[in-house]
Amino acid sequence: AQSVTQPDIHITVSEGASLELRCNYSYGATPYLFWYVQSPGQGLQLLLKYFSGDTLVQGIKGFEAEFKRSQSSFNLRKPSVHWSDAAEYFCAVGLKTSYDKVIFGPGTSLSVIP
Amino acid sequence: EAGVVQSPRYKIIEKKQPVAFWCNPISGHNTLYWYRQNLGQGPELLIRYENEEAVDDSQLPKDRFSAERLKGVDSTLKIQPAELGDSAVYLCASSRGSGKRDTQYFGPGTRLTVL
């Protein structure tokens, strides 16, 4: 069965430090991959997505993610975190058999220390 | 452009009571989704509409949940009767279509607490 795992339930980083959020998926083929962010009291916002081609994907708010087929991973990175980045981050898999069938991971909560 | 609108934002009810959530998608978006997000988890799809037709309701607990999207615009999700385990955030999302490049836009959600 298809699944998405985010090994880190909660991460704390200092403002200005670099960030990497991990995501692994289980799927028989190359899926479509997404990262969403959810700020308190707000809906999910798409940060970036990967369909094919260049495995390094640039997104909004200075985020990027790299697809590594050999590791079944799609880790999210940011070189310098801002206090406003504190939020819940969700990795998601879009199944090719039905694109809009998106499966979300459990999320990683990010705290930023001033 | 206005985003996806949901109401109410919060709802507290006693178990066995009915409850309804309303969603107004972004104008021009034909595809509408209802998700349930349990505490500490990612959203799970309940139902997807293409215009007024429910094209994927395989995860909707049909014994107590119902949904409608009359005229292919706004939508209502209902629970009757509610159970303690229904406490969650109910998210509505919309997209122009269901193609792979059609981004889903999410509303702020309705947080339901069943006592």
Side-chain angles (χ1 to χ4, degrees), chain A residues 99-100, chain B residues 28-31 33 50 94-99 102-104:
Chain A
Y99 159 72
D100 51 341
Chain B
H29 281 196
N30 298 320
T31 307
Y33 315 77
E50 295 290 346
S94 70
S95 60
R96 289 192 179 279
S98 56
D102 292 309
T103 298
Q104 293 187 33

Side-chain angles (χ1 to χ4, degrees), chain B residues 5-19:
Chain B
V5 179
Q6 291 187 248
S7 69
R9 293 293 309 277
Y10 305 90
K11 189 74 175 180
I12 301 174
I13 61 172
E14 299 280 341
K15 63 181 180 181
K16 300 184 181 181
Q17 293 299 307
V19 64

Side-chain angles (χ1 to χ4, degrees), chain A residues 101, chain B residues 45-49 54-62 67:
Chain A
K101 188 83 169 183
Chain B
L45 180 69
L46 291 174
I47 189 169
R48 172 171 70 93
Y49 282 92
V55 295
D56 184 356
D57 62 355
S58 57
Q59 300 303 311
L60 189 72
K62 298 181 181 65

Side-chain angles (χ1 to χ4, degrees), chain A residues 1-79:
Chain A
Q2 303 85 7
S3 66
V4 181
T5 56
Q6 295 181 246
D8 304 304
I9 296 175
H10 184 258
I11 286 182
T12 300
V13 300
S14 298
E15 191 168 18
S18 63
L19 171 70
E20 182 169 28
L21 302 181
R22 296 182 292 165
C23 172
N24 294 94
Y25 66 90
S26 173
Y27 184 52
T30 301
Y32 306 132
L33 297 160
F34 310 85
W35 274 99
Y36 284 84
V37 61
Q38 186 177 33
S39 298
Q42 299 187 26
L44 282 78
Q45 181 183 21
L46 181 67
L47 286 175
L48 47 80
K49 55 189 175 184
Y50 170 80
F51 294 128
S52 63
D54 193 347
T55 57
L56 185 62
V57 181
Q58 301 298 318
I60 62 172
K61 303 185 179 186
F63 286 93
E64 67 177 25
E66 185 172 14
F67 169 60
K68 293 185 177 180
R69 185 189 308 273
S70 61
Q71 300 178 18
S72 296
S73 68
F74 190 55
N75 294 347
L76 182 71
R77 300 193 295 251
K78 186 170 185 178

Side-chain angles (χ1 to χ4, degrees), chain B residues 100-115:
Chain B
K100 66 178 183 180
R101 300 193 183 281
D102 292 309
T103 298
Q104 293 187 33
Y105 294 87
F106 285 80
T110 296
R111 181 177 297 277
L112 173 66
T113 301
V114 182
L115 303 175

